[in-house]
mmCIF file with all atom_site columns, all heavy atoms in Angstrom:
data_model
loop_
_atom_site.group_PDB
_atom_site.id
_atom_site.type_symbol
_atom_site.label_atom_id
_atom_site.label_alt_id
_atom_site.label_comp_id
_atom_site.label_asym_id
_atom_site.label_entity_id
_atom_site.label_seq_id
_atom_site.pdbx_PDB_ins_code
_atom_site.Cartn_x
_atom_site.Cartn_y
_atom_site.Cartn_z
_atom_site.occupancy
_atom_site.B_iso_or_equiv
_atom_site.pdbx_formal_charge
_atom_site.auth_seq_id
_atom_site.auth_comp_id
_atom_site.auth_asym_id
_atom_site.auth_atom_id
_atom_site.pdbx_PDB_model_num
ATOM 1   N N   . HIS A 1 96  ? 18.657  1.875  19.302 1.00 98.00 ? 1467 HIS A N   1
ATOM 2   C CA  . HIS A 1 96  ? 18.645  0.447  18.791 1.00 98.00 ? 1467 HIS A CA  1
ATOM 3   C C   . HIS A 1 96  ? 17.279  -0.024 18.282 1.00 98.00 ? 1467 HIS A C   1
ATOM 4   O O   . HIS A 1 96  ? 17.229  -1.128 17.816 1.00 98.00 ? 1467 HIS A O   1
ATOM 5   C CB  . HIS A 1 96  ? 19.078  -0.442 19.973 1.00 98.00 ? 1467 HIS A CB  1
ATOM 6   C CG  . HIS A 1 96  ? 20.450  -0.158 20.430 1.00 98.00 ? 1467 HIS A CG  1
ATOM 7   N ND1 . HIS A 1 96  ? 20.855  0.571  21.468 1.00 98.00 ? 1467 HIS A ND1 1
ATOM 8   C CD2 . HIS A 1 96  ? 21.644  -0.603 19.864 1.00 98.00 ? 1467 HIS A CD2 1
ATOM 9   C CE1 . HIS A 1 96  ? 22.162  0.671  21.564 1.00 98.00 ? 1467 HIS A CE1 1
ATOM 10  N NE2 . HIS A 1 96  ? 22.724  -0.130 20.565 1.00 98.00 ? 1467 HIS A NE2 1
ATOM 11  N N   . THR A 1 97  ? 16.299  0.837  18.283 1.00 98.00 ? 1468 THR A N   1
ATOM 12  C CA  . THR A 1 97  ? 15.056  0.600  17.685 1.00 98.00 ? 1468 THR A CA  1
ATOM 13  C C   . THR A 1 97  ? 14.669  1.821  16.736 1.00 98.00 ? 1468 THR A C   1
ATOM 14  O O   . THR A 1 97  ? 14.538  2.928  17.167 1.00 98.00 ? 1468 THR A O   1
ATOM 15  C CB  . THR A 1 97  ? 13.939  0.365  18.699 1.00 98.00 ? 1468 THR A CB  1
ATOM 16  O OG1 . THR A 1 97  ? 14.194  -0.609 19.532 1.00 98.00 ? 1468 THR A OG1 1
ATOM 17  C CG2 . THR A 1 97  ? 12.559  0.035  17.982 1.00 98.00 ? 1468 THR A CG2 1
ATOM 18  N N   . ILE A 1 98  ? 14.553  1.493  15.432 1.00 98.00 ? 1469 ILE A N   1
ATOM 19  C CA  . ILE A 1 98  ? 14.263  2.541  14.425 1.00 98.00 ? 1469 ILE A CA  1
ATOM 20  C C   . ILE A 1 98  ? 12.909  2.200  13.766 1.00 98.00 ? 1469 ILE A C   1
ATOM 21  O O   . ILE A 1 98  ? 12.526  1.070  13.610 1.00 98.00 ? 1469 ILE A O   1
ATOM 22  C CB  . ILE A 1 98  ? 15.398  2.518  13.395 1.00 98.00 ? 1469 ILE A CB  1
ATOM 23  C CG1 . ILE A 1 98  ? 16.744  2.847  14.007 1.00 98.00 ? 1469 ILE A CG1 1
ATOM 24  C CG2 . ILE A 1 98  ? 15.099  3.508  12.157 1.00 98.00 ? 1469 ILE A CG2 1
ATOM 25  C CD1 . ILE A 1 98  ? 17.919  2.557  13.069 1.00 98.00 ? 1469 ILE A CD1 1
ATOM 26  N N   . LEU A 1 99  ? 12.235  3.235  13.393 1.00 98.00 ? 1470 LEU A N   1
ATOM 27  C CA  . LEU A 1 99  ? 10.969  3.093  12.651 1.00 98.00 ? 1470 LEU A CA  1
ATOM 28  C C   . LEU A 1 99  ? 11.161  3.568  11.204 1.00 98.00 ? 1470 LEU A C   1
ATOM 29  O O   . LEU A 1 99  ? 11.639  4.692  11.012 1.00 98.00 ? 1470 LEU A O   1
ATOM 30  C CB  . LEU A 1 99  ? 9.831   3.909  13.325 1.00 98.00 ? 1470 LEU A CB  1
ATOM 31  C CG  . LEU A 1 99  ? 8.523   3.909  12.564 1.00 98.00 ? 1470 LEU A CG  1
ATOM 32  C CD1 . LEU A 1 99  ? 7.782   2.533  12.613 1.00 98.00 ? 1470 LEU A CD1 1
ATOM 33  C CD2 . LEU A 1 99  ? 7.557   4.978  13.154 1.00 98.00 ? 1470 LEU A CD2 1
ATOM 34  N N   . MET A 1 100 ? 10.808  2.691  10.330 1.00 98.00 ? 1471 MET A N   1
ATOM 35  C CA  . MET A 1 100 ? 10.695  3.189  8.920  1.00 98.00 ? 1471 MET A CA  1
ATOM 36  C C   . MET A 1 100 ? 9.221   3.506  8.687  1.00 98.00 ? 1471 MET A C   1
ATOM 37  O O   . MET A 1 100 ? 8.387   2.656  8.421  1.00 98.00 ? 1471 MET A O   1
ATOM 38  C CB  . MET A 1 100 ? 11.127  2.106  7.891  1.00 98.00 ? 1471 MET A CB  1
ATOM 39  C CG  . MET A 1 100 ? 10.981  2.565  6.446  1.00 98.00 ? 1471 MET A CG  1
ATOM 40  S SD  . MET A 1 100 ? 12.036  4.037  5.958  1.00 98.00 ? 1471 MET A SD  1
ATOM 41  C CE  . MET A 1 100 ? 13.621  3.296  5.880  1.00 98.00 ? 1471 MET A CE  1
ATOM 42  N N   . GLY A 1 101 ? 8.931   4.757  8.970  1.00 96.00 ? 1472 GLY A N   1
ATOM 43  C CA  . GLY A 1 101 ? 7.487   5.222  8.951  1.00 96.00 ? 1472 GLY A CA  1
ATOM 44  C C   . GLY A 1 101 ? 7.060   5.654  7.564  1.00 96.00 ? 1472 GLY A C   1
ATOM 45  O O   . GLY A 1 101 ? 7.846   5.641  6.579  1.00 96.00 ? 1472 GLY A O   1
ATOM 46  N N   . ASN A 1 102 ? 5.858   6.197  7.540  1.00 91.00 ? 1473 ASN A N   1
ATOM 47  C CA  . ASN A 1 102 ? 5.266   6.624  6.288  1.00 91.00 ? 1473 ASN A CA  1
ATOM 48  C C   . ASN A 1 102 ? 4.158   7.618  6.496  1.00 91.00 ? 1473 ASN A C   1
ATOM 49  O O   . ASN A 1 102 ? 3.807   7.940  7.624  1.00 91.00 ? 1473 ASN A O   1
ATOM 50  C CB  . ASN A 1 102 ? 4.768   5.446  5.402  1.00 91.00 ? 1473 ASN A CB  1
ATOM 51  C CG  . ASN A 1 102 ? 3.749   4.584  6.141  1.00 91.00 ? 1473 ASN A CG  1
ATOM 52  O OD1 . ASN A 1 102 ? 2.831   5.095  6.716  1.00 91.00 ? 1473 ASN A OD1 1
ATOM 53  N ND2 . ASN A 1 102 ? 3.969   3.245  6.162  1.00 91.00 ? 1473 ASN A ND2 1
ATOM 54  N N   . ILE A 1 103 ? 3.676   8.126  5.390  1.00 91.00 ? 1474 ILE A N   1
ATOM 55  C CA  . ILE A 1 103 ? 2.635   9.183  5.442  1.00 91.00 ? 1474 ILE A CA  1
ATOM 56  C C   . ILE A 1 103 ? 1.399   8.721  6.266  1.00 91.00 ? 1474 ILE A C   1
ATOM 57  O O   . ILE A 1 103 ? 0.760   9.635  6.902  1.00 91.00 ? 1474 ILE A O   1
ATOM 58  C CB  . ILE A 1 103 ? 2.214   9.551  3.986  1.00 91.00 ? 1474 ILE A CB  1
ATOM 59  C CG1 . ILE A 1 103 ? 1.181   10.721 4.000  1.00 91.00 ? 1474 ILE A CG1 1
ATOM 60  C CG2 . ILE A 1 103 ? 1.654   8.331  3.280  1.00 91.00 ? 1474 ILE A CG2 1
ATOM 61  C CD1 . ILE A 1 103 ? 0.800   11.180 2.604  1.00 91.00 ? 1474 ILE A CD1 1
ATOM 62  N N   . GLY A 1 104 ? 1.136   7.407  6.228  1.00 87.00 ? 1475 GLY A N   1
ATOM 63  C CA  . GLY A 1 104 ? -0.100  6.937  6.976  1.00 87.00 ? 1475 GLY A CA  1
ATOM 64  C C   . GLY A 1 104 ? -0.009  7.076  8.469  1.00 87.00 ? 1475 GLY A C   1
ATOM 65  O O   . GLY A 1 104 ? -0.718  7.914  9.088  1.00 87.00 ? 1475 GLY A O   1
ATOM 66  N N   . ALA A 1 105 ? 0.915   6.310  9.086  1.00 91.00 ? 1476 ALA A N   1
ATOM 67  C CA  . ALA A 1 105 ? 0.967   6.251  10.528 1.00 91.00 ? 1476 ALA A CA  1
ATOM 68  C C   . ALA A 1 105 ? 1.619   7.496  11.093 1.00 91.00 ? 1476 ALA A C   1
ATOM 69  O O   . ALA A 1 105 ? 1.365   7.696  12.339 1.00 91.00 ? 1476 ALA A O   1
ATOM 70  C CB  . ALA A 1 105 ? 1.735   4.960  10.900 1.00 91.00 ? 1476 ALA A CB  1
ATOM 71  N N   . GLN A 1 106 ? 2.343   8.240  10.366 1.00 96.00 ? 1477 GLN A N   1
ATOM 72  C CA  . GLN A 1 106 ? 3.034   9.417  10.933 1.00 96.00 ? 1477 GLN A CA  1
ATOM 73  C C   . GLN A 1 106 ? 2.446   10.742 10.598 1.00 96.00 ? 1477 GLN A C   1
ATOM 74  O O   . GLN A 1 106 ? 2.994   11.719 10.910 1.00 96.00 ? 1477 GLN A O   1
ATOM 75  C CB  . GLN A 1 106 ? 4.484   9.366  10.520 1.00 96.00 ? 1477 GLN A CB  1
ATOM 76  C CG  . GLN A 1 106 ? 5.387   8.489  11.406 1.00 96.00 ? 1477 GLN A CG  1
ATOM 77  C CD  . GLN A 1 106 ? 4.955   6.982  11.500 1.00 96.00 ? 1477 GLN A CD  1
ATOM 78  O OE1 . GLN A 1 106 ? 5.059   6.329  10.444 1.00 96.00 ? 1477 GLN A OE1 1
ATOM 79  N NE2 . GLN A 1 106 ? 4.432   6.568  12.613 1.00 96.00 ? 1477 GLN A NE2 1
ATOM 80  N N   . SER A 1 107 ? 1.327   10.774 9.885  1.00 95.00 ? 1478 SER A N   1
ATOM 81  C CA  . SER A 1 107 ? 0.645   12.071 9.662  1.00 95.00 ? 1478 SER A CA  1
ATOM 82  C C   . SER A 1 107 ? -0.932  11.900 9.588  1.00 95.00 ? 1478 SER A C   1
ATOM 83  O O   . SER A 1 107 ? -1.685  12.536 10.333 1.00 95.00 ? 1478 SER A O   1
ATOM 84  C CB  . SER A 1 107 ? 1.124   12.782 8.371  1.00 95.00 ? 1478 SER A CB  1
ATOM 85  O OG  . SER A 1 107 ? 0.924   12.021 7.220  1.00 95.00 ? 1478 SER A OG  1
ATOM 86  N N   . ILE A 1 108 ? -1.319  10.952 8.797  1.00 93.00 ? 1479 ILE A N   1
ATOM 87  C CA  . ILE A 1 108 ? -2.820  10.772 8.596  1.00 93.00 ? 1479 ILE A CA  1
ATOM 88  C C   . ILE A 1 108 ? -3.414  10.207 9.882  1.00 93.00 ? 1479 ILE A C   1
ATOM 89  O O   . ILE A 1 108 ? -4.512  10.687 10.327 1.00 93.00 ? 1479 ILE A O   1
ATOM 90  C CB  . ILE A 1 108 ? -3.081  9.792  7.446  1.00 93.00 ? 1479 ILE A CB  1
ATOM 91  C CG1 . ILE A 1 108 ? -2.646  10.436 6.139  1.00 93.00 ? 1479 ILE A CG1 1
ATOM 92  C CG2 . ILE A 1 108 ? -4.484  9.337  7.418  1.00 93.00 ? 1479 ILE A CG2 1
ATOM 93  C CD1 . ILE A 1 108 ? -2.645  9.464  4.955  1.00 93.00 ? 1479 ILE A CD1 1
ATOM 94  N N   . ALA A 1 109 ? -2.786  9.242  10.473 1.00 91.00 ? 1480 ALA A N   1
ATOM 95  C CA  . ALA A 1 109 ? -3.383  8.560  11.663 1.00 91.00 ? 1480 ALA A CA  1
ATOM 96  C C   . ALA A 1 109 ? -3.772  9.462  12.841 1.00 91.00 ? 1480 ALA A C   1
ATOM 97  O O   . ALA A 1 109 ? -4.754  9.170  13.529 1.00 91.00 ? 1480 ALA A O   1
ATOM 98  C CB  . ALA A 1 109 ? -2.423  7.484  12.126 1.00 91.00 ? 1480 ALA A CB  1
ATOM 99  N N   . TYR A 1 110 ? -3.089  10.521 12.996 1.00 95.00 ? 1481 TYR A N   1
ATOM 100 C CA  . TYR A 1 110 ? -3.319  11.412 14.185 1.00 95.00 ? 1481 TYR A CA  1
ATOM 101 C C   . TYR A 1 110 ? -4.760  12.041 14.102 1.00 95.00 ? 1481 TYR A C   1
ATOM 102 O O   . TYR A 1 110 ? -5.396  12.288 15.112 1.00 95.00 ? 1481 TYR A O   1
ATOM 103 C CB  . TYR A 1 110 ? -2.311  12.487 14.282 1.00 95.00 ? 1481 TYR A CB  1
ATOM 104 C CG  . TYR A 1 110 ? -0.888  11.970 14.509 1.00 95.00 ? 1481 TYR A CG  1
ATOM 105 C CD1 . TYR A 1 110 ? 0.075   12.254 13.669 1.00 95.00 ? 1481 TYR A CD1 1
ATOM 106 C CD2 . TYR A 1 110 ? -0.608  11.183 15.624 1.00 95.00 ? 1481 TYR A CD2 1
ATOM 107 C CE1 . TYR A 1 110 ? 1.369   11.818 13.873 1.00 95.00 ? 1481 TYR A CE1 1
ATOM 108 C CE2 . TYR A 1 110 ? 0.632   10.746 15.846 1.00 95.00 ? 1481 TYR A CE2 1
ATOM 109 C CZ  . TYR A 1 110 ? 1.678   10.989 14.947 1.00 95.00 ? 1481 TYR A CZ  1
ATOM 110 O OH  . TYR A 1 110 ? 2.907   10.551 15.102 1.00 95.00 ? 1481 TYR A OH  1
ATOM 111 N N   . SER A 1 111 ? -5.286  12.196 12.951 1.00 94.00 ? 1482 SER A N   1
ATOM 112 C CA  . SER A 1 111 ? -6.701  12.786 12.740 1.00 94.00 ? 1482 SER A CA  1
ATOM 113 C C   . SER A 1 111 ? -7.670  11.673 12.436 1.00 94.00 ? 1482 SER A C   1
ATOM 114 O O   . SER A 1 111 ? -8.848  11.857 12.690 1.00 94.00 ? 1482 SER A O   1
ATOM 115 C CB  . SER A 1 111 ? -6.597  13.788 11.661 1.00 94.00 ? 1482 SER A CB  1
ATOM 116 O OG  . SER A 1 111 ? -5.771  14.830 11.888 1.00 94.00 ? 1482 SER A OG  1
ATOM 117 N N   . LEU A 1 112 ? -7.164  10.526 11.851 1.00 92.00 ? 1483 LEU A N   1
ATOM 118 C CA  . LEU A 1 112 ? -8.089  9.497  11.467 1.00 92.00 ? 1483 LEU A CA  1
ATOM 119 C C   . LEU A 1 112 ? -8.706  8.695  12.660 1.00 92.00 ? 1483 LEU A C   1
ATOM 120 O O   . LEU A 1 112 ? -9.818  8.322  12.684 1.00 92.00 ? 1483 LEU A O   1
ATOM 121 C CB  . LEU A 1 112 ? -7.399  8.544  10.499 1.00 92.00 ? 1483 LEU A CB  1
ATOM 122 C CG  . LEU A 1 112 ? -8.263  7.459  9.939  1.00 92.00 ? 1483 LEU A CG  1
ATOM 123 C CD1 . LEU A 1 112 ? -9.334  8.028  8.925  1.00 92.00 ? 1483 LEU A CD1 1
ATOM 124 C CD2 . LEU A 1 112 ? -7.388  6.439  9.129  1.00 92.00 ? 1483 LEU A CD2 1
ATOM 125 N N   . TYR A 1 113 ? -7.835  8.415  13.638 1.00 92.00 ? 1484 TYR A N   1
ATOM 126 C CA  . TYR A 1 113 ? -8.129  7.520  14.687 1.00 92.00 ? 1484 TYR A CA  1
ATOM 127 C C   . TYR A 1 113 ? -8.543  8.316  16.037 1.00 92.00 ? 1484 TYR A C   1
ATOM 128 O O   . TYR A 1 113 ? -7.846  9.329  16.331 1.00 92.00 ? 1484 TYR A O   1
ATOM 129 C CB  . TYR A 1 113 ? -7.048  6.606  15.134 1.00 92.00 ? 1484 TYR A CB  1
ATOM 130 C CG  . TYR A 1 113 ? -6.672  5.599  14.006 1.00 92.00 ? 1484 TYR A CG  1
ATOM 131 C CD1 . TYR A 1 113 ? -5.568  5.693  13.204 1.00 92.00 ? 1484 TYR A CD1 1
ATOM 132 C CD2 . TYR A 1 113 ? -7.649  4.568  13.654 1.00 92.00 ? 1484 TYR A CD2 1
ATOM 133 C CE1 . TYR A 1 113 ? -5.338  4.814  12.207 1.00 92.00 ? 1484 TYR A CE1 1
ATOM 134 C CE2 . TYR A 1 113 ? -7.385  3.617  12.680 1.00 92.00 ? 1484 TYR A CE2 1
ATOM 135 C CZ  . TYR A 1 113 ? -6.261  3.719  11.987 1.00 92.00 ? 1484 TYR A CZ  1
ATOM 136 O OH  . TYR A 1 113 ? -5.957  2.887  10.900 1.00 92.00 ? 1484 TYR A OH  1
ATOM 137 N N   . ARG A 1 114 ? -9.578  7.910  16.635 1.00 91.00 ? 1485 ARG A N   1
ATOM 138 C CA  . ARG A 1 114 ? -9.990  8.570  17.876 1.00 91.00 ? 1485 ARG A CA  1
ATOM 139 C C   . ARG A 1 114 ? -9.128  8.213  19.106 1.00 91.00 ? 1485 ARG A C   1
ATOM 140 O O   . ARG A 1 114 ? -8.856  9.005  20.010 1.00 91.00 ? 1485 ARG A O   1
ATOM 141 C CB  . ARG A 1 114 ? -11.484 8.142  18.248 1.00 91.00 ? 1485 ARG A CB  1
ATOM 142 C CG  . ARG A 1 114 ? -12.500 8.685  17.272 1.00 91.00 ? 1485 ARG A CG  1
ATOM 143 C CD  . ARG A 1 114 ? -13.902 8.353  17.766 1.00 91.00 ? 1485 ARG A CD  1
ATOM 144 N NE  . ARG A 1 114 ? -14.951 8.677  16.897 1.00 91.00 ? 1485 ARG A NE  1
ATOM 145 C CZ  . ARG A 1 114 ? -15.431 7.874  15.914 1.00 91.00 ? 1485 ARG A CZ  1
ATOM 146 N NH1 . ARG A 1 114 ? -15.036 6.683  15.871 1.00 91.00 ? 1485 ARG A NH1 1
ATOM 147 N NH2 . ARG A 1 114 ? -16.350 8.363  15.087 1.00 91.00 ? 1485 ARG A NH2 1
ATOM 148 N N   . ASN A 1 115 ? -8.662  6.933  19.137 1.00 92.00 ? 1486 ASN A N   1
ATOM 149 C CA  . ASN A 1 115 ? -7.991  6.486  20.276 1.00 92.00 ? 1486 ASN A CA  1
ATOM 150 C C   . ASN A 1 115 ? -6.468  6.094  19.964 1.00 92.00 ? 1486 ASN A C   1
ATOM 151 O O   . ASN A 1 115 ? -5.994  5.047  20.277 1.00 92.00 ? 1486 ASN A O   1
ATOM 152 C CB  . ASN A 1 115 ? -8.667  5.206  20.855 1.00 92.00 ? 1486 ASN A CB  1
ATOM 153 C CG  . ASN A 1 115 ? -8.770  4.137  19.817 1.00 92.00 ? 1486 ASN A CG  1
ATOM 154 O OD1 . ASN A 1 115 ? -8.795  4.404  18.591 1.00 92.00 ? 1486 ASN A OD1 1
ATOM 155 N ND2 . ASN A 1 115 ? -8.897  2.828  20.232 1.00 92.00 ? 1486 ASN A ND2 1
#
Side-chain angles (χ1 to χ4, degrees):
H1467 294 97
T1468 304
I1469 299 169
L1470 175 69
M1471 181 60 75
N1473 57 48
I1474 183 176
Q1477 275 59 68
S1478 62
I1479 293 171
Y1481 298 122
S1482 299
L1483 184 69
Y1484 294 109
R1485 293 187 183 93
N1486 57 334

